[in-house]
Short mmCIF file of all heavy atoms in Angstrom, two decimals:
data_model
loop_
_atom_site.label_atom_id
_atom_site.label_comp_id
_atom_site.label_asym_id
_atom_site.label_seq_id
_atom_site.Cartn_x
_atom_site.Cartn_y
_atom_site.Cartn_z
N PHE A 1065 43.63 6.89 -4.27
CA PHE A 1065 43.86 8.08 -3.44
C PHE A 1065 44.77 9.03 -4.21
O PHE A 1065 45.94 8.73 -4.46
CB PHE A 1065 44.52 7.66 -2.12
CG PHE A 1065 44.56 8.74 -1.08
CD1 PHE A 1065 43.47 8.97 -0.26
CD2 PHE A 1065 45.69 9.51 -0.90
CE1 PHE A 1065 43.51 9.96 0.72
CE2 PHE A 1065 45.75 10.50 0.08
CZ PHE A 1065 44.65 10.72 0.89
N GLU A 1239 6.55 -0.58 4.03
CA GLU A 1239 6.82 -0.44 5.46
C GLU A 1239 6.83 -1.80 6.14
O GLU A 1239 5.99 -2.66 5.87
CB GLU A 1239 5.78 0.49 6.10
CG GLU A 1239 6.17 0.90 7.50
CD GLU A 1239 5.40 2.09 8.02
OE1 GLU A 1239 4.55 2.64 7.28
OE2 GLU A 1239 5.65 2.48 9.18
N GLY A 1335 17.66 15.55 12.32
CA GLY A 1335 17.14 16.39 13.40
C GLY A 1335 17.85 16.08 14.69
O GLY A 1335 19.07 16.19 14.79
#
Side-chain angles (χ1 to χ4, degrees):
F1065 191 84
E1239 192 164 359

